Amino acid sequence: MTPQPPTDPARTRLDKWLWAARFYKHRTLATDAVEGGKVQLNGLRVKPAKDVKVGDTVAIQLAEAHFTVVVTGIAEKRGSATVAQTLYAETAESAAARW
């Protein structure tokens, strides 16, 4: 048995990050959204296991709402809403398009 390298605390799976940032109520919903093409990472369609790191851009389509956010933090576990808000910053263009 070969030892597994420790996971990098500065990155996590896309579906786990979406769930921790409270864009989706369940991790399976986040996984389904990524697989269905509703989420793009840095302008590319990716798989749910793709690593997300600080500085990445995530485009998310939730029903009729579209969000473009920049990753500002990584979390392995889902926390409170105030903690979740520290994990991303919405772009000015994204916020203006929804108003």
Side-chain angles (χ1 to χ4, degrees):
M1 181 186 244
T2 60
Q4 294 292 328
T7 58
D8 185 355
R11 46 178 81 229
T12 190
R13 291 173 52 112
L14 177 58
D15 59 345
K16 189 182 283 190
W17 183 86
L18 289 166
W19 170 73
R22 294 183 169 258
F23 284 102
Y24 295 94
K25 190 171 184 175
H26 301 283
R27 189 164 160 200
T28 54
L29 292 175
T31 301
D32 293 344
V34 175
E35 289 175 345
K38 304 281 187 199
V39 177
Q40 293 184 345
L41 180 64
N42 297 323
L44 302 172
R45 188 171 172 177
V46 295
K47 293 185 178 182
K50 181 71 175 171
D51 281 342
V52 176
K53 61 185 180 313
V54 173
D56 283 347
T57 302
V58 181
I60 306 157
Q61 179 184 347
L62 291 170
E64 299 299 318
H66 297 271
F67 299 90
T68 303
V69 298
V70 177
V71 177
T72 59
I74 301 296
E76 286 289 320
K77 296 182 180 179
R78 187 175 172 112
S80 68
T82 54
V83 171
Q85 290 175 342
T86 65
L87 300 180
Y88 63 90
E90 186 173 11
T91 64
E93 296 85 13
S94 173
R98 286 188 298 109
W99 290 99

Coordinates of all heavy atoms in Angstrom, one line a residue:
M1 N 0.8 -1.2 0.0 CA 0.0 0.0 0.0 C 0.9 1.2 0.0 O 1.7 1.4 0.9 CB -0.9 -0.1 1.2 CG -1.8 1.1 1.3 SD -2.7 1.0 2.9 CE -4.3 0.8 2.3
T2 N 0.7 2.1 -1.0 CA 1.5 3.4 -1.0 C 0.8 4.5 -0.2 O -0.5 4.6 -0.3 CB 1.6 3.8 -2.5 OG1 0.4 4.0 -3.1 CG2 2.4 2.8 -3.3
P3 N 1.5 5.2 0.5 CA 0.9 6.3 1.2 C 0.4 7.4 0.3 O 1.0 7.7 -0.7 CB 2.1 6.9 2.1 CG 3.3 6.5 1.4 CD 3.0 5.2 0.6
Q4 N -0.8 8.0 0.7 CA -1.4 9.0 -0.1 C -0.8 10.4 0.3 O -0.6 10.6 1.5 CB -2.9 9.1 0.1 CG -3.6 7.8 -0.4 CD -3.6 7.8 -1.9 OE1 -3.6 8.8 -2.6 NE2 -3.5 6.6 -2.4
P5 N -0.5 11.2 -0.6 CA 0.0 12.6 -0.2 C -1.1 13.3 0.5 O -2.2 13.1 0.3 CB 0.4 13.2 -1.5 CG -0.4 12.5 -2.6 CD -0.6 11.1 -2.0
P6 N -0.7 14.2 1.5 CA -1.7 14.9 2.2 C -2.4 15.9 1.2 O -1.8 16.4 0.3 CB -0.9 15.7 3.2 CG 0.5 15.7 2.7 CD 0.7 14.5 1.9
T7 N -3.7 16.1 1.5 CA -4.4 17.0 0.6 C -4.0 18.4 0.9 O -3.7 18.8 2.0 CB -6.0 16.9 0.9 OG1 -6.2 17.2 2.3 CG2 -6.5 15.5 0.6
D8 N -4.0 19.2 -0.2 CA -3.6 20.6 -0.1 C -4.7 21.4 0.5 O -5.8 21.4 -0.1 CB -3.2 21.1 -1.5 CG -2.7 22.5 -1.5 OD1 -2.6 23.1 -0.5 OD2 -2.3 22.9 -2.6
P9 N -4.5 22.0 1.6 CA -5.6 22.8 2.2 C -6.0 24.0 1.4 O -7.0 24.6 1.7 CB -5.0 23.2 3.6 CG -3.5 23.2 3.4 CD -3.3 22.1 2.4
A10 N -5.2 24.4 0.4 CA -5.5 25.6 -0.4 C -6.3 25.2 -1.6 O -6.5 26.0 -2.5 CB -4.2 26.2 -0.8
R11 N -6.8 24.0 -1.7 CA -7.7 23.6 -2.8 C -8.7 22.5 -2.3 O -8.4 21.8 -1.4 CB -6.9 23.2 -4.0 CG -5.8 22.2 -3.8 CD -5.1 21.8 -5.1 NE -4.1 22.8 -5.6 CZ -4.1 23.3 -6.8 NH1 -4.9 22.8 -7.7 NH2 -3.2 24.1 -7.2
T12 N -9.8 22.4 -3.0 CA -10.8 21.4 -2.7 C -11.6 21.1 -4.0 O -11.5 21.8 -5.0 CB -11.7 21.9 -1.6 OG1 -12.5 20.8 -1.1 CG2 -12.6 23.0 -2.0
R13 N -12.4 20.1 -3.9 CA -13.2 19.7 -5.1 C -14.3 20.8 -5.3 O -14.8 21.5 -4.4 CB -14.0 18.4 -4.8 CG -13.2 17.2 -4.7 CD -14.0 16.0 -4.2 NE -15.2 15.9 -5.0 CZ -15.4 14.8 -5.8 NH1 -14.6 13.9 -5.9 NH2 -16.6 14.7 -6.5
L14 N -14.6 21.0 -6.6 CA -15.6 22.0 -7.0 C -16.9 21.8 -6.4 O -17.5 22.7 -5.8 CB -15.7 22.1 -8.5 CG -16.7 23.1 -9.1 CD1 -16.4 24.5 -8.7 CD2 -16.7 23.0 -10.6
D15 N -17.4 20.6 -6.4 CA -18.7 20.3 -5.9 C -18.8 20.5 -4.4 O -19.7 21.1 -3.8 CB -19.2 18.9 -6.2 CG -18.3 17.8 -5.7 OD1 -17.2 18.0 -5.4 OD2 -18.8 16.6 -5.8
K16 N -17.7 20.2 -3.7 CA -17.6 20.4 -2.2 C -17.6 21.9 -1.9 O -18.2 22.4 -1.0 CB -16.4 19.7 -1.7 CG -16.4 19.7 -0.1 CD -15.1 19.0 0.4 CE -15.2 17.5 0.3 NZ -14.1 16.9 1.0
W17 N -16.8 22.7 -2.7 CA -16.8 24.1 -2.5 C -18.1 24.8 -2.8 O -18.5 25.7 -2.0 CB -15.7 24.7 -3.4 CG -15.5 26.2 -3.2 CD1 -14.7 26.8 -2.2 CD2 -16.2 27.3 -3.8 NE1 -14.9 28.2 -2.3 CE2 -15.8 28.5 -3.3 CE3 -17.1 27.3 -4.9 CZ2 -16.2 29.7 -3.7 CZ3 -17.6 28.6 -5.3 CH2 -17.2 29.8 -4.7
L18 N -18.8 24.4 -3.8 CA -20.1 25.0 -4.1 C -21.1 24.7 -2.9 O -21.9 25.6 -2.6 CB -20.7 24.4 -5.4 CG -20.0 24.8 -6.7 CD1 -20.4 23.9 -7.8 CD2 -20.4 26.3 -7.0
W19 N -21.0 23.5 -2.4 CA -21.9 23.2 -1.2 C -21.5 24.0 0.0 O -22.3 24.5 0.7 CB -21.7 21.7 -1.0 CG -22.3 21.2 0.3 CD1 -23.7 21.0 0.6 CD2 -21.6 20.7 1.4 NE1 -23.8 20.5 1.8 CE2 -22.6 20.3 2.4 CE3 -20.3 20.6 1.7 CZ2 -22.2 19.8 3.6 CZ3 -19.9 20.1 3.0 CH2 -20.9 19.7 3.9
A20 N -20.2 24.1 0.3 CA -19.7 24.8 1.5 C -20.0 26.3 1.3 O -20.3 27.0 2.3 CB -18.2 24.6 1.6
A21 N -20.0 26.8 0.1 CA -20.3 28.3 -0.1 C -21.8 28.5 -0.2 O -22.2 29.7 -0.4 CB -19.6 28.7 -1.4
R22 N -22.6 27.5 0.0 CA -24.0 27.5 0.1 C -24.7 28.0 -1.2 O -25.8 28.6 -1.2 CB -24.5 28.4 1.3 CG -24.1 27.8 2.6 CD -24.6 28.7 3.7 NE -24.4 28.0 5.0 CZ -25.4 27.4 5.6 NH1 -26.6 27.4 5.2 NH2 -25.2 26.7 6.8
F23 N -24.1 27.6 -2.3 CA -24.9 27.8 -3.6 C -25.9 26.7 -3.8 O -26.9 26.8 -4.4 CB -23.9 27.9 -4.8 CG -23.2 29.2 -4.9 CD1 -21.9 29.3 -4.4 CD2 -23.8 30.3 -5.3 CE1 -21.2 30.5 -4.5 CE2 -23.2 31.5 -5.4 CZ -21.9 31.6 -5.0
Y24 N -25.6 25.5 -3.2 CA -26.5 24.4 -3.3 C -26.7 23.8 -1.9 O -25.8 23.7 -1.1 CB -25.9 23.3 -4.2 CG -25.8 23.8 -5.6 CD1 -24.6 24.3 -6.1 CD2 -26.9 23.7 -6.5 CE1 -24.6 24.8 -7.4 CE2 -26.8 24.2 -7.8 CZ -25.7 24.7 -8.2 OH -25.6 25.2 -9.5
K25 N -27.9 23.3 -1.6 CA -28.3 22.8 -0.3 C -27.7 21.5 0.0 O -27.3 21.2 1.2 CB -29.8 22.7 -0.2 CG -30.3 22.5 1.2 CD -31.8 22.6 1.3 CE -32.3 22.4 2.7 NZ -33.7 22.7 2.8
H26 N -27.5 20.7 -1.0 CA -26.9 19.3 -0.9 C -25.7 19.2 -1.8 O -25.7 19.7 -2.9 CB -27.9 18.2 -1.2 CG -29.1 18.3 -0.3 ND1 -29.1 17.9 1.0 CD2 -30.4 18.8 -0.5 CE1 -30.3 18.1 1.5 NE2 -31.1 18.6 0.6
R27 N -24.7 18.4 -1.4 CA -23.6 18.2 -2.3 C -23.9 17.5 -3.6 O -23.4 17.8 -4.6 CB -22.5 17.5 -1.5 CG -21.2 17.4 -2.3 CD -20.1 17.0 -1.4 NE -19.0 16.5 -2.2 CZ -18.0 15.8 -1.7 NH1 -18.0 15.4 -0.5 NH2 -17.0 15.4 -2.5
T28 N -24.9 16.6 -3.5 CA -25.3 15.9 -4.7 C -25.9 16.8 -5.7 O -25.8 16.7 -6.9 CB -26.3 14.8 -4.4 OG1 -27.4 15.3 -3.6 CG2 -25.7 13.6 -3.6
L29 N -26.6 17.9 -5.2 CA -27.2 18.9 -6.2 C -26.1 19.7 -6.8 O -26.1 20.0 -8.0 CB -28.1 19.9 -5.4 CG -29.4 19.3 -4.9 CD1 -30.1 20.3 -4.0 CD2 -30.3 18.8 -6.0
A30 N -25.0 20.0 -6.1 CA -23.8 20.6 -6.7 C -23.2 19.8 -7.7 O -22.8 20.2 -8.8 CB -22.9 21.0 -5.6
T31 N -23.0 18.5 -7.4 CA -22.4 17.5 -8.3 C -23.3 17.4 -9.6 O -22.7 17.5 -10.7 CB -22.3 16.1 -7.7 OG1 -21.5 16.2 -6.5 CG2 -21.7 15.1 -8.6
D32 N -24.6 17.3 -9.5 CA -25.5 17.3 -10.6 C -25.4 18.5 -11.5 O -25.4 18.5 -12.7 CB -26.9 17.0 -10.2 CG -27.1 15.7 -9.6 OD1 -26.2 14.8 -9.8 OD2 -28.2 15.5 -8.9
A33 N -25.3 19.7 -10.8 CA -25.2 21.0 -11.6 C -23.9 21.0 -12.4 O -23.9 21.5 -13.5 CB -25.3 22.1 -10.6
V34 N -22.8 20.6 -11.8 CA -21.5 20.6 -12.5 C -21.5 19.7 -13.7 O -21.1 20.0 -14.8 CB -20.3 20.3 -11.5 CG1 -19.0 20.2 -12.3 CG2 -20.2 21.3 -10.4
E35 N -22.1 18.5 -13.4 CA -22.2 17.5 -14.5 C -23.1 17.9 -15.6 O -22.9 17.6 -16.8 CB -22.6 16.1 -14.0 CG -21.5 15.4 -13.1 CD -22.0 14.2 -12.5 OE1 -23.2 13.9 -12.4 OE2 -21.1 13.4 -12.0
G36 N -24.1 18.7 -15.2 CA -25.1 19.2 -16.2 C -24.7 20.4 -17.0 O -25.5 21.0 -17.8
G37 N -23.5 20.9 -16.7 CA -23.0 22.1 -17.4 C -23.5 23.4 -16.8 O -23.4 24.5 -17.5
K38 N -24.1 23.4 -15.7 CA -24.6 24.7 -15.0 C -23.5 25.4 -14.3 O -23.8 26.6 -13.9 CB -25.7 24.3 -14.0 CG -26.9 23.6 -14.6 CD -27.8 24.4 -15.4 CE -29.0 23.6 -15.8 NZ -29.7 24.3 -16.9
V39 N -22.3 24.8 -14.2 CA -21.2 25.5 -13.5 C -20.0 25.4 -14.3 O -19.7 24.3 -14.9 CB -21.0 24.8 -12.1 CG1 -19.8 25.4 -11.4 CG2 -22.2 24.9 -11.2
Q40 N -19.3 26.5 -14.5 CA -18.0 26.5 -15.2 C -16.9 27.0 -14.3 O -17.1 27.9 -13.5 CB -18.1 27.4 -16.5 CG -19.1 26.8 -17.5 CD -19.1 27.7 -18.8 OE1 -18.6 28.8 -18.7 NE2 -19.6 27.2 -19.8
L41 N -15.7 26.5 -14.5 CA -14.6 26.9 -13.7 C -13.6 27.5 -14.7 O -13.1 26.9 -15.6 CB -13.9 25.7 -13.0 CG -12.7 26.0 -12.1 CD1 -13.1 26.9 -11.0 CD2 -12.1 24.7 -11.6
N42 N -13.3 28.8 -14.5 CA -12.4 29.5 -15.3 C -12.8 29.4 -16.8 O -11.9 29.3 -17.7 CB -10.9 29.1 -15.1 CG -10.4 29.3 -13.7 OD1 -10.7 30.3 -13.1 ND2 -9.7 28.4 -13.2
G43 N -14.1 29.5 -17.0 CA -14.6 29.5 -18.4 C -14.7 28.1 -19.1 O -15.0 28.0 -20.2
L44 N -14.4 27.1 -18.3 CA -14.4 25.7 -18.9 C -15.4 24.9 -18.2 O -15.6 25.0 -17.0 CB -13.0 25.1 -18.8 CG -11.8 25.8 -19.4 CD1 -10.5 25.2 -19.1 CD2 -12.0 25.8 -21.0
R45 N -16.0 24.0 -18.9 CA -16.9 23.0 -18.3 C -15.9 21.9 -17.7 O -15.1 21.3 -18.4 CB -17.8 22.4 -19.4 CG -18.8 21.5 -18.8 CD -19.8 21.1 -19.9 NE -20.7 20.1 -19.3 CZ -21.7 19.6 -19.9 NH1 -22.0 20.0 -21.1 NH2 -22.5 18.7 -19.4
V46 N -16.1 21.6 -16.5 CA -15.2 20.6 -15.8 C -16.0 19.6 -15.1 O -17.3 19.6 -15.0 CB -14.3 21.4 -14.8 CG1 -13.3 22.3 -15.5 CG2 -15.1 22.1 -13.7
K47 N -15.3 18.6 -14.5 CA -16.0 17.6 -13.7 C -16.1 18.0 -12.2 O -15.3 18.9 -11.8 CB -15.2 16.3 -13.8 CG -15.2 15.7 -15.2 CD -14.5 14.4 -15.2 CE -14.6 13.8 -16.6 NZ -14.0 12.5 -16.7
P48 N -17.0 17.4 -11.5 CA -17.2 17.8 -10.1 C -15.9 17.7 -9.2 O -15.8 18.4 -8.2 CB -18.3 16.9 -9.5 CG -19.0 16.4 -10.8 CD -18.0 16.4 -11.9
A49 N -15.0 16.8 -9.5 CA -13.8 16.5 -8.7 C -12.7 17.5 -9.1 O -11.6 17.4 -8.4 CB -13.3 15.1 -8.9
K50 N -12.9 18.4 -10.0 CA -11.8 19.4 -10.4 C -11.5 20.2 -9.1 O -12.4 20.7 -8.4 CB -12.3 20.2 -11.5 CG -11.3 21.2 -12.0 CD -10.2 20.6 -12.7 CE -9.3 21.7 -13.3 NZ -8.1 21.1 -13.8
D51 N -10.2 20.4 -8.9 CA -9.8 21.3 -7.8 C -10.1 22.7 -8.0 O -9.9 23.3 -9.1 CB -8.3 21.1 -7.5 CG -8.0 19.8 -6.7 OD1 -8.9 19.2 -6.1 OD2 -6.8 19.4 -6.8
V52 N -10.5 23.4 -6.9 CA -10.7 24.8 -6.9 C -9.7 25.4 -6.0 O -9.5 24.9 -4.9 CB -12.2 25.2 -6.4 CG1 -12.4 26.6 -6.3 CG2 -13.2 24.5 -7.3
K53 N -9.1 26.6 -6.4 CA -8.2 27.2 -5.5 C -8.5 28.7 -5.5 O -9.3 29.2 -6.3 CB -6.8 27.0 -6.0 CG -6.4 27.5 -7.4 CD -5.1 27.0 -7.8 CE -4.7 27.5 -9.2 NZ -5.6 27.3 -10.2
V54 N -8.0 29.4 -4.6 CA -8.2 30.9 -4.4 C -7.8 31.6 -5.7 O -6.7 31.3 -6.3 CB -7.4 31.4 -3.2 CG1 -7.5 32.9 -3.1 CG2 -8.0 30.8 -1.9
G55 N -8.6 32.4 -6.2 CA -8.3 33.2 -7.4 C -9.1 32.6 -8.6 O -9.1 33.3 -9.7
D56 N -9.6 31.4 -8.5 CA -10.4 30.9 -9.7 C -11.7 31.6 -9.8 O -12.2 32.1 -8.9 CB -10.7 29.4 -9.4 CG -9.5 28.5 -9.7 OD1 -8.5 28.9 -10.2 OD2 -9.5 27.3 -9.2
T57 N -12.2 31.6 -11.1 CA -13.5 32.2 -11.4 C -14.5 31.1 -11.6 O -14.2 30.2 -12.4 CB -13.4 33.1 -12.6 OG1 -12.4 34.1 -12.4 CG2 -14.7 33.8 -12.9
V58 N -15.6 31.2 -10.9 CA -16.7 30.2 -11.0 C -17.9 30.8 -11.6 O -18.4 31.8 -11.0 CB -17.0 29.5 -9.7 CG1 -18.0 28.4 -9.8 CG2 -15.7 28.9 -9.1
A59 N -18.5 30.3 -12.7 CA -19.8 30.8 -13.2 C -20.8 29.8 -12.9 O -20.7 28.6 -13.1 CB -19.6 31.0 -14.7
I60 N -21.9 30.3 -12.2 CA -23.0 29.4 -11.7 C -24.3 29.9 -12.2 O -24.6 31.1 -12.2 CB -23.0 29.5 -10.2 CG1 -21.6 29.2 -9.6 CG2 -24.0 28.5 -9.6 CD1 -21.4 29.7 -8.2
Q61 N -25.1 28.9 -12.7 CA -26.4 29.2 -13.2 C -27.4 28.5 -12.2 O -27.4 27.3 -12.1 CB -26.7 28.7 -14.6 CG -28.1 28.9 -15.1 CD -28.3 28.4 -16.5 OE1 -27.4 28.0 -17.2 NE2 -29.6 28.3 -16.8
L62 N -28.2 29.3 -11.5 CA -29.2 28.8 -10.6 C -30.5 29.3 -11.1 O -30.9 30.4 -10.9 CB -29.0 29.3 -9.2 CG -27.7 28.8 -8.4 CD1 -27.5 29.6 -7.1 CD2 -27.9 27.4 -8.1
A63 N -31.3 28.3 -11.7 CA -32.6 28.7 -12.2 C -32.4 29.8 -13.2 O -31.7 29.7 -14.2 CB -33.6 29.0 -11.2
E64 N -33.0 31.0 -13.0 CA -32.9 32.1 -13.9 C -31.7 33.0 -13.5 O -31.4 34.0 -14.3 CB -34.2 32.9 -13.9 CG -35.4 32.1 -14.4 CD -35.2 31.6 -15.8 OE1 -34.7 32.3 -16.7 OE2 -35.5 30.4 -16.1
A65 N -31.1 32.8 -12.4 CA -30.1 33.7 -11.9 C -28.7 33.2 -12.3 O -28.5 32.0 -12.3 CB -30.1 33.8 -10.4
H66 N -27.8 34.1 -12.7 CA -26.5 33.7 -13.1 C -25.5 34.5 -12.2 O -25.7 35.7 -12.0 CB -26.2 34.1 -14.6 CG -27.0 33.4 -15.6 ND1 -26.7 32.2 -16.1 CD2 -28.3 33.7 -16.1 CE1 -27.6 31.8 -16.9 NE2 -28.6 32.7 -16.9
F67 N -24.6 33.8 -11.7 CA -23.6 34.4 -10.8 C -22.2 34.1 -11.4 O -21.9 33.0 -11.9 CB -23.6 33.8 -9.4 CG -24.9 33.9 -8.7 CD1 -25.9 33.0 -8.8 CD2 -25.1 35.0 -7.8 CE1 -27.1 33.2 -8.1 CE2 -26.3 35.2 -7.2 CZ -27.3 34.3 -7.3
T68 N -21.3 35.1 -11.3 CA -19.9 34.9 -11.6 C -19.1 35.4 -10.3 O -19.3 36.5 -9.9 CB -19.4 35.7 -12.8 OG1 -20.2 35.3 -13.9 CG2 -18.0 35.4 -13.1
V69 N -18.4 34.4 -9.7 CA -17.7 34.7 -8.5 C -16.3 34.4 -8.6 O -15.9 33.5 -9.4 CB -18.4 34.0 -7.3 CG1 -19.8 34.4 -7.1 CG2 -18.3 32.5 -7.4
V70 N -15.5 35.0 -7.8 CA -14.1 34.7 -7.7 C -13.9 34.1 -6.3 O -14.3 34.6 -5.3 CB -13.2 36.0 -7.8 CG1 -11.7 35.7 -7.6 CG2 -13.4 36.7 -9.1
V71 N -13.2 33.0 -6.3 CA -12.9 32.2 -5.1 C -11.9 33.0 -4.2 O -10.8 33.3 -4.6 CB -12.4 30.8 -5.4 CG1 -12.1 30.0 -4.1 CG2 -13.4 30.0 -6.3
T72 N -12.4 33.3 -3.0 CA -11.5 34.0 -2.0 C -11.1 33.2 -0.8 O -10.3 33.6 0.0 CB -12.2 35.3 -1.5 OG1 -13.4 34.9 -0.9 CG2 -12.4 36.2 -2.7
G73 N -11.7 32.0 -0.7 CA -11.4 31.1 0.4 C -11.8 29.7 0.1 O -12.6 29.4 -0.8
I74 N -11.2 28.7 0.9 CA -11.5 27.3 0.7 C -12.0 26.8 2.0 O -11.5 27.1 3.1 CB -10.2 26.6 0.3 CG1 -9.6 27.1 -1.0 CG2 -10.4 25.1 0.2 CD1 -10.5 26.9 -2.2
A75 N -13.1 25.9 1.9 CA -13.6 25.3 3.1 C -13.9 23.8 2.8 O -14.4 23.5 1.7 CB -14.9 26.0 3.6
E76 N -13.5 23.0 3.7 CA -13.8 21.5 3.5 C -15.2 21.2 4.0 O -15.7 20.2 3.7 CB -12.7 20.7 4.2 CG -11.4 20.7 3.5 CD -11.4 19.9 2.3 OE1 -12.0 18.8 2.2 OE2 -10.8 20.3 1.3
K77 N -15.7 22.0 5.0 CA -17.0 21.7 5.6 C -17.9 22.9 5.4 O -17.5 24.0 5.3 CB -16.8 21.4 7.1 CG -16.0 20.2 7.4 CD -15.8 19.9 8.9 CE -15.0 18.7 9.1 NZ -14.9 18.4 10.5
R78 N -19.2 22.6 5.5 CA -20.2 23.6 5.4 C -20.3 24.3 6.7 O -20.6 23.7 7.7 CB -21.5 23.0 4.9 CG -22.6 24.0 4.6 CD -23.8 23.2 4.1 NE -25.0 24.0 3.9 CZ -25.5 24.3 2.8 NH1 -25.0 23.9 1.7 NH2 -26.6 25.1 2.7
G79 N -20.2 25.6 6.7 CA -20.4 26.4 7.9 C -21.6 27.3 7.9 O -22.5 27.1 7.1
S80 N -21.6 28.3 8.7 CA -22.7 29.3 8.7 C -22.7 30.1 7.4 O -21.7 30.1 6.7 CB -22.5 30.2 9.9 OG -21.4 31.0 9.8
A81 N -23.8 30.8 7.2 CA -23.9 31.7 6.1 C -22.9 32.8 6.1 O -22.4 33.2 5.0 CB -25.3 32.2 6.0
T82 N -22.5 33.3 7.2 CA -21.5 34.4 7.3 C -20.2 33.8 6.9 O -19.4 34.5 6.2 CB -21.5 35.0 8.7 OG1 -21.3 34.0 9.7 CG2 -22.8 35.8 9.0
V83 N -19.8 32.6 7.3 CA -18.6 32.0 6.9 C -18.6 31.7 5.3 O -17.6 32.0 4.6 CB -18.3 30.7 7.6 CG1 -17.1 30.0 7.1 CG2 -18.1 31.0 9.1
A84 N -19.7 31.3 4.8 CA -19.8 30.9 3.4 C -19.6 32.2 2.6 O -19.0 32.1 1.5 CB -21.2 30.3 3.1
Q85 N -20.1 33.3 3.0 CA -19.9 34.6 2.3 C -18.5 35.0 2.1 O -18.1 35.8 1.2 CB -20.7 35.7 2.9 CG -22.2 35.5 2.7 CD -23.0 36.5 3.5 OE1 -22.5 37.2 4.3 NE2 -24.3 36.7 3.1
T86 N -17.6 34.5 3.0 CA -16.2 34.9 2.9 C -15.4 34.0 1.9 O -14.3 34.3 1.6 CB -15.5 34.7 4.3 OG1 -15.5 33.4 4.7 CG2 -16.2 35.6 5.4
L87 N -16.1 33.0 1.4 CA -15.4 32.1 0.4 C -15.4 32.6 -1.0 O -14.7 32.0 -1.9 CB -16.1 30.7 0.5 CG -16.1 30.0 1.8 CD1 -16.8 28.7 1.7 CD2 -14.7 29.8 2.3
Y88 N -16.2 33.6 -1.3 CA -16.2 34.1 -2.7 C -16.6 35.6 -2.7 O -17.0 36.2 -1.7 CB -17.3 33.4 -3.5 CG -18.7 33.6 -2.9 CD1 -19.5 34.6 -3.4 CD2 -19.2 32.7 -2.0 CE1 -20.8 34.8 -2.9 CE2 -20.5 32.8 -1.5 CZ -21.3 33.9 -2.0 OH -22.6 34.0 -1.5
A89 N -16.3 36.3 -3.8 CA -16.6 37.6 -4.1 C -17.3 37.7 -5.5 O -16.7 37.2 -6.4 CB -15.4 38.5 -4.0
E90 N -18.5 38.2 -5.5 CA -19.2 38.3 -6.8 C -18.6 39.4 -7.6 O -18.3 40.5 -7.1 CB -20.7 38.5 -6.6 CG -21.5 38.5 -7.9 CD -23.0 38.5 -7.6 OE1 -23.4 38.8 -6.5 OE2 -23.7 38.3 -8.6
T91 N -18.4 39.2 -8.9 CA -17.9 40.2 -9.8 C -18.9 41.4 -9.9 O -20.1 41.1 -9.8 CB -17.5 39.7 -11.2 OG1 -18.7 39.2 -11.8 CG2 -16.5 38.6 -11.0
A92 N -18.4 42.6 -10.2 CA -19.3 43.7 -10.4 C -20.2 43.5 -11.6 O -21.4 43.9 -11.6 CB -18.5 45.0 -10.6
E93 N -19.7 42.9 -12.7 CA -20.5 42.6 -13.9 C -21.7 41.7 -13.5 O -22.8 41.8 -14.0 CB -19.7 42.1 -15.0 CG -18.6 43.0 -15.5 CD -17.3 42.9 -14.7 OE1 -17.2 42.0 -13.9 OE2 -16.5 43.8 -14.8
S94 N -21.4 40.7 -12.7 CA -22.4 39.7 -12.3 C -23.5 40.3 -11.5 O -24.7 40.1 -11.7 CB -21.8 38.5 -11.6 OG -22.7 37.7 -11.0
A95 N -23.1 41.1 -10.5 CA -24.1 41.8 -9.7 C -25.0 42.8 -10.5 O -26.2 42.9 -10.3 CB -23.4 42.5 -8.5
A96 N -24.3 43.5 -11.4 CA -25.1 44.5 -12.2 C -26.1 43.8 -13.2 O -27.1 44.3 -13.4 CB -24.1 45.3 -13.0
A97 N -25.7 42.6 -13.7 CA -26.6 41.9 -14.6 C -27.8 41.4 -13.9 O -28.9 41.3 -14.6 CB -25.8 40.8 -15.2
R98 N -27.8 41.2 -12.6 CA -29.0 40.7 -11.9 C -29.9 41.8 -11.4 O -31.0 41.5 -11.0 CB -28.5 39.8 -10.7 CG -28.0 38.4 -11.2 CD -27.7 37.5 -10.0 NE -26.7 38.0 -9.1 CZ -27.0 38.4 -7.9 NH1 -28.2 38.4 -7.4 NH2 -26.0 38.9 -7.1
W99 N -29.4 43.0 -11.5 CA -30.3 44.1 -11.0 C -31.0 44.6 -12.2 O -31.6 45.0 -12.8 CB -29.4 45.2 -10.4 CG -28.9 44.8 -9.1 CD1 -27.7 44.3 -8.9 CD2 -29.6 44.8 -7.8 NE1 -27.5 44.0 -7.5 CE2 -28.7 44.3 -6.9 CE3 -30.8 45.1 -7.4 CZ2 -29.0 44.1 -5.5 CZ3 -31.2 44.9 -6.1 CH2 -30.3 44.5 -5.2

